[in-house]
Amino acid sequence: MAKAAKIQEAGSEDAIRAYKTILSQVIDQRPSGMRQRLADALGKHRSFVTQISSPAYSIPIPSKHLPSIFSVCHFSPAERDQFLAAYHQAHPGKLPAASGPRKTRHVSLIVPDFGDDKQNAALDRAINEFIQKITSIAGKGSG
């Protein structure tokens, strides 16, 4: 039994690597700054984007992030289909409930630099959480 579990785990890691390879190729074909724009849209640090987009890391991409990834990275329909097929292979039944990619836009803000990385990161997280809450509330009201 343990041997079968290890084989399945290795297969899952290969499947994760497959869709991460597609994402990495898409990002590499886009203009510079794409990783930062994606990090901003996800409310995460660039290191998170590196982890979810690098085939070297076996960390899976949470399905809730897929609509933002498709929108920000401007996946073509073919790239999206290829990615989703690989994602489904790695995570059967874990695709997002949303029927299509959620359109997003990039907004830049000028905020104070506190001179402390932890305080700056806390402000960035607070702003992103606020935006996510507001858009969640707005989304519930438009149904």
Side-chain angles (χ1 to χ4, degrees), residues 25-100:
Q25 290 169 347
V26 167
I27 289 173
D28 289 345
Q29 294 170 2
R30 302 307 183 255
S32 66
M34 182 57 62
R35 282 182 172 76
Q36 185 61 54
R37 284 193 293 280
L38 186 53
D40 292 344
L42 298 175
K44 304 289 185 182
H45 292 281
R46 267 193 68 171
S47 61
F48 177 79
V49 173
T50 297
Q51 289 178 355
I52 66 167
S53 65
S54 173
Y57 295 98
S58 62
I59 298 164
I61 299 174
S63 63
K64 69 181 181 179
H65 293 318
L66 296 184
S68 293
I69 291 169
F70 294 144
S71 177
V72 172
C73 296
H74 304 288
F75 273 61
S76 70
E79 290 166 336
R80 186 173 190 266
D81 291 347
Q82 185 183 14
F83 179 92
L84 286 173
Y87 191 91
H88 179 68
Q89 176 127 13
H91 312 292
K94 296 274 186 178
L95 291 179
S99 59

Side-chain angles (χ1 to χ4, degrees), residues 96-114:
S99 59
R102 184 170 159 194
K103 190 172 181 177
T104 61
R105 60 192 179 94
H106 184 82
V107 176
S108 296
L109 300 173
I110 297 175
V111 296
D113 185 338
F114 296 123

Side-chain angles (χ1 to χ4, degrees), residues 124-139:
D124 294 351
R125 279 192 306 276
I127 291 169
N128 281 309
E129 288 170 9
F130 174 75
I131 291 167
Q132 289 173 354
K133 285 179 185 176
I134 294 298
T135 56
S136 172
I137 292 167

